[in-house]
Amino acid sequence: MNVEPKKEPKPLVMAEILNGTGLLDSSSFAVTSFTATITTGAVYNAQVAWLKKKLPLWGDLLVAKSGTHPFNPLIYGNERRPIGLIDSGKIEDQRAKLVAHLWISGGINTEAIKHLGLRNMLAGQIKKVLATDIVLDFPPPFDYRAPSFAAGVGCSFFVRSFRKDNLWLANEIALSNTPKFRDQLASFLAGRSAELYGYSPLRGDSDSISLDCKFVSDITRPVFSDFKDCLWEFLRNNLSREVDVYDEAQWPKK
C-alpha cells in the first residue's frame, strides 16, 4: 500500500484567509499582528532551559515557511520578544508556554465595517484563526509536549520519610550527616551521568533531605523518570526503606 507523503502546508496569506469577504485591506502599509501561544509539557527548570535552547529553530521555521514575520524588538521593545517562552507564573498545570509575536501583510478594511464592536470582534477572530493555523501547520520542530532536560541545569530532589508520623530514626539522621553517605550519593549520581552540587542532610527539626544535581548531557523525560526511580532505590538500600523521593515539580512551593 502506497502512502502519499504529507503535503507541506502553504504559507499564510491574508488575501486567501479573507477571500470572498470583501474585508481585505491589501494596501502596502496594512498589517495584522497576532500572538500564537503553545502550552508545553515543561514543568522543570531543566526542561525550560532545553526549550530556550531550541526556540531559534521555531523562529527559523516561521520565517522560512509560515508567511509571517516576527516582531522587530527595536520597534516593539524587548518586553515583546519575537519568539519567547513564559516560564514564570506558569498558570496551566505549572507548564511553561511558547509564545510567538508575529505579523502578516494585509489587514481588515475598516471602512467596510462601520460598527466598532463588530469590527473589533472580527479583528479578534481573524487573529485567533491566524494563531490556530500557526500552531497546527507550523508547530515547533522539536518535542515541546515532552521536552528533554538540558545539561548543566540543576534538578532538585527532596527525600522524606513516609512513616505515619513522618519522623526519621536516630540512626538515619546520623547517617545522612556522614561524609561517607554523601560520598556514596555522589558516586551513585556519577554512575548515572549526573553531578551532585548541593546537599542538605537532616538537621534540627527538618523533616526532609534535599539534594541538587545536574546532568552532564541532555536527557529525555523517560530517562529522567528512570533516574528518579533509581535514586529512590539507592536511598532505600543505603538510608531507609521507608522513604519517598519528590522532585521540584512535586514539592510544595513556599
Side-chain angles (χ1 to χ4, degrees), residues 163-183:
R163 297 184 182 92
K164 291 183 179 179
D165 53 12
N166 288 329
L167 296 178
W168 294 82
L169 300 179
N171 65 314
E172 295 168 345
I173 297 173
L175 179 59
S176 75
N177 281 272
T178 61
K180 178 181 178 181
F181 177 75
R182 177 168 178 153
D183 290 344

Side-chain angles (χ1 to χ4, degrees), residues 5-229:
K6 185 177 179 180
K7 293 182 179 179
E8 187 171 305
K10 295 180 180 179
L12 304 183
V13 179
M14 284 295 285
E16 294 181 3
I17 293 172
L18 295 178
N19 184 32
T21 66
L23 299 178
L24 177 66
D25 181 352
S26 58
S27 58
S28 60
F29 58 83
V31 299
T32 299
S33 61
F34 66 99
T35 299
T37 304
I38 298 176
T39 300
T40 74
V43 295
Y44 301 93
N45 292 333
Q47 288 181 305
V48 169
W50 186 84
L51 286 174
K52 287 182 177 179
K53 291 197 304 181
K54 296 294 184 179
L55 275 177
L57 297 177
W58 191 28
D60 292 344
L61 170 68
L62 293 175
V63 169
K65 304 287 188 178
S66 72
T68 66
H69 311 274
F71 279 4
N72 186 336
L74 297 178
I75 298 175
Y76 292 95
N78 288 329
E79 71 278 2
R80 301 191 75 182
R81 297 186 179 185
I83 311 296
L85 187 144
I86 303 174
D87 63 313
S88 59
K90 304 166 191 168
I91 59 174
E92 293 186 21
D93 299 323
Q94 297 297 311
R95 300 177 189 275
K97 294 183 178 182
L98 301 175
V99 181
H101 298 295
L102 307 167
W103 62 270
I104 186 172
S105 297
I108 295 178
N109 177 12
T110 55
E111 295 300 319
I113 308 173
K114 302 303 181 183
H115 191 280
L116 180 60
L118 179 60
R119 182 193 307 167
N120 292 337
M121 183 192 72
L122 287 174
Q125 290 301 314
I126 290 170
K127 291 183 179 185
K128 287 183 179 180
V129 168
L130 290 167
T132 299
D133 285 351
I134 286 292
V135 173
L136 293 178
D137 293 339
F138 305 97
F142 47 83
D143 190 352
Y144 61 86
R145 294 184 179 88
S148 295
F149 292 67
V153 179
C155 290
S156 299
F157 296 92
F158 305 88
V159 185
R160 194 172 188 179
S161 169
F162 65 71
R163 297 184 182 92
K164 291 183 179 179
D165 53 12
N166 288 329
L167 296 178
W168 294 82
L169 300 179
N171 65 314
E172 295 168 345
I173 297 173
L175 179 59
S176 75
N177 281 272
T178 61
K180 178 181 178 181
F181 177 75
R182 177 168 178 153
D183 290 344
Q184 288 178 320
L185 178 59
S187 178
F188 160 78
L189 293 175
R192 306 290 300 186
S193 299
E195 299 175 351
L196 180 68
Y197 73 90
Y199 174 73
S200 296
L202 295 164
R203 299 184 188 281
D205 60 354
S206 64
D207 63 356
S208 63
I209 298 170
S210 65
L211 62 101
D212 300 303
C213 66
K214 54 189 177 183
F215 298 98
V216 299
S217 59
D218 291 0
I219 63 169
T220 63
R221 184 68 175 86
V223 171
F224 177 82
S225 297
D226 178 67
F227 171 87
K228 184 179 172 183
D229 289 341

